[in-house]
Amino acid sequence: MRTSVEFITAVAMIAWVGSAVSAESGTHTSGREVGSNPSPGSFVYEGALAFQEDLPVDRVVGTSKYPELLVVKSIRLENTAGHAWSVTASVGWLPAKEITWQMKVELLDGNNQVLKNSGDPVSLFTAIPNDVNETSMRHATLKLSWITCRGRRHATRFRIHLKLLAEPSGGIDSVGGEMDPIEITVLDQESQKPMGDAVVIVGDFTYQDTDLPYQTIQVTNAQGRCQTRLPHKPNILLINAQKQGFSPITWENRPGSNLPERHVFEMRRGMSAGGIVQDSEGHGIASAEVNLQASTSARPGIIFSPETNLQGGMVSVSRCVHTDSEGRWKVEGLPFGVERIYLSIKHPDYGGNNGRKRRISGEALLNAQALNHSRVLAKGLTLTGNVYNDQGRPVERATVMLMQQSHDLIYTLTDESGGFRLMCSKDESDYRGASAVVVEAPDYAPALQPFDPQQNLRPLEFRLERGRTISFRVVNLDEQPIGGAEFSAKPLREHPYYDMRMVDTEKLGIFKVPNMPNNDVRFTIMKRGYVSARNFVAAASEDEVSIHLRRALQVRGKVVDAESGEQIPSFVITFVDSVQSMRLRGGRGDFTNGTYELSYGEAEPETLQLKASAAGYWSAISKEVKNEGSQHVIDFELTRIPGTQRLFRFRGYPD
């Protein structure tokens, strides 16, 4: 029997990335245990914060019977996205008993105060046993939820809370019934031999109708197989396979899509890429930030579709590392045979082309694979200034950001006098779209000044005003609160790329948004199953706003072969604008067992249609449907294209 467990919910995005090794060790020894552990299955650990480095934790937890069930070796925060840091944990576990753990990561400022955000990560994961007599630990990289950067770039320390939630006899609440099991097979792509002891991680974005990440971890048997499941039916599912010496591979189903009964992963051996970052005089630049992205299909030459996705996945690496004292860097785990990678390199003292993403292929890629890729950073323009509050006092550790559309955000922190120094490019072609310098600090509203690299860069002066808090109440048409919604706001009218994001993790239907300026604020609120409220405005005079969300359009049905009447096993359903015949945002699902169920959560257009597509068949369009909160049943009969056969065939699958 599965027992009910109370969970803390939080925003998360689950994905997995390849392993990376920085040439700079970056070892921190200032960590410490915090407080007293209430049980052998928990700890609270605190350490100095750094990015693009493995931060040692080295804490072992377990139960009285199994005192060493889990070890958290380290965590890592990387700047792989502009608005958030990706967080991974290197863990080892003993696959002898089924245990569920909860892990939370917090950021702290220089005064040891927790920098709270409604999207602070709380992640759940369950270790699935494969042998009750197992005595050897297995190791994996777990992707925790993202940590939002906004308002927290001045953090100096991190804190980890780990807690055992369920004893081996316990489990996770069954929400909407258990997920049907999926048989996973992991093969070596080169030899086609089964890969035993490969780590398989199954993750759900939306446990209990929230953005809480929940994962299971287990290993394959000697035949390269395992049977995996979740204790609930997921809305979005990811399956990831990891093995030392191979590139990790991930398969994802779309929201609302049906799940296959089996899935085959073919893993490629990993390789490395690396090089050197130098200045214009040929000297190595230490501590430059190197952001590398690479991805490819698991089976070259196969176009992804609901059918091809049944056997394969994406081999993807997204890592950020620092150069060592000689300017050298290295990333491991890239998929063997990748045809291109993307690099962006930046350093706070060099502004020339700072952060611009470049495609590396051909001879340049060969050089990177030989660890000899070379990049030169030129000195750019120096932007200086000061940040004061409305009383004229300097604001220390305020975040000063150069924001533009063309490349990654560049930022620095003010010193004790409120002064800052920021390097940026002097090439006008580097700046496309609106460019601006934005300052944010706790308790103050963000401030902005336009930036033009062609003008004389006089010192900038910012005067920050105290921010206001706006309360948003999210309700349905009957005035009942809607919990678990997502919120984003654009507080700066002059800059469209600066936003704030929150999640109603307490499921109360209330948002309290701090540090808003005294002007109109444009915002968006979204909730699964409801029509999104986009680009609403909270006036400067409003401190409390009520938002009414109506139910989204719900459609379900089946898709069959027009001649045989048999259900088509793999197909795509897309919402299209009935007037412009365009695919609509968020209106698509991949399905695999002849039936579908899909919702559309946008206010426009007033009427729409559904399009059913499948490999080897002519597409079909439904009748018009009013975009209102109603439920419809729409079935499709698809006609096979003359002269075509099934386009793909997979090992272990019938034609």
Side-chain angles (χ1 to χ4, degrees):
M1 296 290 293
R2 295 188 178 276
T3 58
S4 176
V5 183
E6 181 179 357
F7 300 104
I8 301 175
T9 58
V11 63
M13 179 182 294
I14 301 177
W16 294 268
V17 294
S19 61
V21 176
S22 171
E24 180 181 51
S25 62
T27 301
H28 291 259
T29 58
S30 57
R32 61 186 177 90
E33 204 90 29
V34 179
S36 59
N37 293 334
S39 70
S42 66
F43 69 76
V44 180
Y45 179 84
E46 185 179 307
L49 179 63
F51 299 100
Q52 287 70 251
E53 298 175 10
D54 293 329
L55 306 176
V57 178
D58 295 323
R59 291 297 182 270
V60 179
V61 290
T63 64
S64 56
K65 184 175 182 180
Y66 298 95
E68 295 186 359
L69 274 174
L70 183 79
V71 56
V72 181
K73 298 175 63 179
S74 62
I75 68 164
R76 185 180 181 97
L77 283 76
E78 292 190 0
N79 184 28
T80 54
H83 67 280
W85 294 297
S86 65
V87 186
T88 55
S90 177
V91 302
W93 82 99
L94 184 68
K97 288 292 182 179
E98 182 172 324
I99 299 282
T100 298
W101 307 88
Q102 172 184 288
M103 186 183 297
K104 180 179 181 180
V105 180
E106 296 176 327
L107 299 184
L108 295 82
D109 63 14
N111 297 319
N112 229 37
Q113 298 296 311
V114 176
L115 301 173
K116 295 183 179 180
N117 184 284
S118 66
D120 281 342
V122 176
S123 300
L124 302 177
F125 59 96
T126 299
I128 304 296
N130 62 323
D131 188 339
V132 294
N133 297 317
E134 185 68 64
T135 58
S136 299
M137 274 202 166
R138 304 301 195 274
H139 299 274
T141 299
L142 284 178
K143 180 68 181 181
L144 308 181
S145 61
W146 299 80
I147 292 182
T148 302
C149 300
R150 192 72 72 220
R152 302 201 283 189
R153 290 186 172 88
H154 62 293
T156 61
R157 298 184 68 79
F158 72 93
R159 182 180 293 164
I160 295 180
H161 302 257
L162 184 81
K163 179 181 179 182
L164 187 152
L165 285 185
E167 290 289 343
S169 60
I172 303 297
D173 286 340
S174 178
V175 180
E178 284 196 9
M179 180 187 90
D180 292 334
I182 301 176
E183 182 183 273
I184 305 296
T185 301
V186 183
L187 305 175
D188 183 320
Q189 187 184 67
E190 183 178 1
S191 68
Q192 290 298 300
K193 292 182 178 180
M195 297 179 62
D197 231 26
V199 176
V200 175
I201 305 176
V202 179
D204 178 22
F205 274 89
T206 53
Y207 178 67
Q208 288 189 337
D209 198 29
T210 70
D211 283 325
L212 171 71
Y214 174 65
Q215 303 172 80
T216 64
I217 53 177
Q218 59 192 116
V219 293
T220 57
N221 60 20
Q223 290 74 43
R225 294 193 182 99
C226 67
Q227 193 171 72
T228 187
R229 71 187 190 283
L230 293 177
H232 59 282
K233 293 182 179 179
N235 182 61
I236 302 174
L237 182 75
L238 288 93
I239 304 176
N240 169 263
Q242 303 176 12
K243 179 78 171 180
Q244 185 69 29
F246 291 79
S247 295
I249 181 172
T250 300
W251 174 84
E252 174 185 355
N253 81 308
R254 294 179 181 273
S257 301
N258 298 318
L259 299 176
E261 295 180 357
R262 61 188 68 87
H263 190 92
V264 179
F265 283 120
E266 295 184 356
M267 299 192 70
R268 299 183 185 186
R269 291 199 174 273
M271 63 178 188
S272 301
I276 187 170
V277 181
Q278 299 172 310
D279 61 22
S280 56
E281 297 179 353
H283 301 131
I285 300 176
S287 301
E289 186 177 291
V290 180
N291 195 321
L292 182 148
Q293 295 178 335
S295 63
T296 184
S297 66
R299 305 187 69 191
I302 290 184
I303 300 173
F304 278 93
S305 72
E307 295 199 19
T308 59
N309 225 10
L310 288 176
Q311 182 163 313
M314 289 298 297
V315 183
S316 180
V317 174
S318 179
R319 296 309 303 260
C320 194
V321 299
H322 279 150
T323 56
D324 64 12
S325 59
E326 297 180 350
R328 292 204 164 271
W329 61 273
K330 180 181 178 183
V331 171
E332 296 180 344
L334 273 68
F336 183 81
V338 67
E339 296 179 354
R340 66 190 64 86
I341 62 176
Y342 294 89
L343 283 178
S344 64
I345 301 176
K346 60 183 179 181
H347 188 283
D349 292 336
Y350 295 82
N353 296 326
N354 200 346
R356 176 184 286 185
K357 185 181 295 184
R358 293 184 178 182
R359 171 175 162 169
I360 308 299
S361 59
E363 184 178 350
L365 179 58
L366 293 176
N367 289 334
Q369 293 170 354
L371 308 184
N372 287 323
H373 177 75
S374 179
R375 177 73 64 85
V376 175
L377 296 185
K379 288 284 188 179
L381 301 175
T382 302
L383 185 64
T384 62
N386 291 85
V387 179
Y388 304 100
N389 63 17
D390 51 1
Q391 303 297 316
R393 298 188 178 92
V395 179
E396 185 180 1
R397 296 191 67 79
T399 302
V400 183
M401 300 170 284
L402 177 58
M403 304 187 69
Q404 62 279 321
Q405 183 180 2
S406 57
H407 50 75
D408 293 343
L409 175 147
I410 305 168
Y411 75 94
T412 189
L413 301 176
T414 57
D415 59 24
E416 60 184 7
S417 67
F420 65 87
R421 176 177 175 270
L422 193 65
M423 299 296 295
C424 55
S425 175
K426 54 187 175 183
D427 186 349
E428 187 176 6
S429 65
D430 284 347
Y431 302 94
R432 300 190 302 273
S435 297
V437 179
V438 177
V439 176
E440 62 182 22
D443 301 324
Y444 294 95
L448 173 147
Q449 292 191 35
F451 172 75
D452 185 349
Q454 298 306 306
Q455 294 182 355
N456 292 328
L457 294 184
R458 57 179 177 78
L460 299 178
E461 182 176 298
F462 288 86
R463 297 273 177 168
L464 302 184
E465 298 181 354
R466 292 285 177 179
R468 62 180 174 128
T469 296
I470 306 178
S471 295
F472 292 89
R473 179 172 170 262
V474 185
V475 297
N476 62 20
L477 300 184
D478 295 325
E479 299 293 333
Q480 298 300 311
I482 299 175
E486 300 178 28
F487 173 94
S488 66
K490 296 185 180 297
L492 298 175
R493 292 173 295 185
E494 305 92 337
H495 204 280
Y497 306 116
Y498 182 89
D499 62 1
M500 294 184 62
R501 304 181 185 186
M502 303 178 71
V503 176
D504 175 21
T505 56
E506 296 183 2
K507 305 172 73 172
L508 300 176
I510 296 175
F511 290 95
K512 291 186 179 295
V513 187
N515 304 330
M516 290 289 100
N518 294 310
N519 54 248
D520 295 352
V521 176
R522 193 172 298 275
F523 63 91
T524 294
I525 291 181
M526 298 178 291
K527 167 68 177 178
R528 188 175 301 107
Y530 291 84
V531 175
S532 300
R534 294 186 180 275
N535 294 318
F536 275 61
V537 174
S541 59
E542 292 182 292
D543 291 330
E544 296 186 2
V545 180
S546 292
I547 303 298
H548 292 79
L549 300 184
R550 62 177 173 87
R551 281 286 182 181
L553 169 69
Q554 304 280 339
V555 186
R556 60 184 174 87
K558 60 184 179 180
V559 180
V560 301
D561 185 296
E563 182 178 354
S564 67
E566 295 181 353
Q567 293 183 338
I568 297 175
S570 300
F571 59 91
V572 176
I573 298 293
T574 308
F575 284 111
V576 296
D577 189 317
S578 57
V579 176
Q580 301 182 14
S581 299
M582 295 173 54
R583 175 183 164 186
L584 297 170
R585 172 173 51 186
R588 173 192 164 106
D590 297 335
F591 302 92
T592 56
N593 69 356
T595 62
Y596 74 92
E597 186 170 347
L598 198 60
S599 65
Y600 183 69
E602 300 296 335
E604 298 293 338
E606 293 183 1
T607 61
L608 45 79
Q609 295 172 289
L610 279 75
K611 179 180 179 180
S613 306
Y617 289 86
W618 297 110
S619 297
I621 303 290
S622 75
K623 63 181 181 181
E624 288 189 357
V625 179
K626 286 188 177 181
N627 185 14
E628 55 188 24
S630 56
Q631 298 184 7
H632 297 264
V633 177
I634 300 177
D635 297 328
F636 290 91
E637 295 182 354
L638 301 188
T639 302
R640 187 178 291 277
I641 300 174
T644 62
Q645 301 295 325
R646 286 289 295 273
L647 299 183
F648 305 98
R649 179 175 179 172
F650 302 108
R651 185 181 301 102
Y653 290 84
D655 280 342

